[in-house]
Amino acid sequence: MSGPGYETYTLRKKPSVGFGIAISGGTDQMVPGQTGAITISDVVAGGPAVGKLQIGDKLIMVQNNSCVGMTRADCVNLMKSAGNTISISVVRQPKAQQPPSMTNNQRTGNPYNNRNEHHQRAVQQQQQQNYN
């Protein structure tokens, strides 16, 4: 189900990861320059939210209750009271407006901190050598 400007998803809890999301924000955690919106701050790999919710999605409703102007604590309690199935409505920013995510290299300044990126770079270099 969806409406003008938002999408609604139904998630079923998994024993090891719950609904598979983390949230941040809310009127109790406002920082200067932010609206106090509650946002998805993590989507757990293998969890029920994968392929549905995305980091940066703004929660507008949980179980048909508005999250606008809600504290993070109240939103968490609302999610906990939902039982094993939850309905979550979110607004997603267009791709062009989403802030770029930082790689481990950018966070740490260490170009070899992220082993996967280092491995990919080595494979690409090897492939280039094989073609030359």
Side-chain angles (χ1 to χ4, degrees):
M1 181 179 176
S2 60
Y6 69 90
E7 295 291 327
T8 301
Y9 301 96
T10 300
L11 305 176
R12 295 188 194 286
K13 271 187 185 176
K14 285 190 172 180
S16 61
V17 295
F19 293 119
I21 60 172
I23 61 171
S24 62
T27 56
D28 56 339
Q29 296 185 355
M30 287 181 62
V31 293
Q34 301 227 344
T35 64
I38 297 172
T39 60
I40 302 294
S41 57
D42 193 20
V43 177
V44 178
V50 171
K52 296 178 179 182
L53 300 176
Q54 297 177 9
I55 294 173
D57 285 351
K58 291 184 176 33
L59 269 69
I60 57 169
M61 291 177 61
V62 172
Q63 298 297 90
N64 294 320
N65 294 295
S66 175
C67 295
V68 177
M70 188 178 275
T71 65
R72 179 187 176 280
D74 286 342
C75 188
V76 167
N77 288 333
L78 184 59
M79 290 176 162
K80 286 181 178 179
S81 71
N84 290 324
T85 303
I86 194 168
S87 172
I88 296 179
S89 299
V90 297
V91 172
R92 184 163 296 148
Q93 294 180 356
K95 294 278 185 198
Q97 293 180 3
Q98 287 183 338
S101 62
M102 293 175 63
T103 65
N104 280 343
N105 296 351
Q106 292 167 320
R107 279 192 285 276
T108 64
N110 181 350
Y112 298 106
N113 190 44
N114 188 326
R115 291 180 184 163
N116 188 36
E117 286 181 20
H118 178 68
H119 175 73
Q120 288 174 347
R121 194 174 306 116
V123 168
Q124 288 172 346
Q125 288 173 350
Q126 183 65 38
Q127 287 173 342
Q128 286 176 347
Q129 288 174 356
N130 290 342
Y131 290 122
N132 292 333

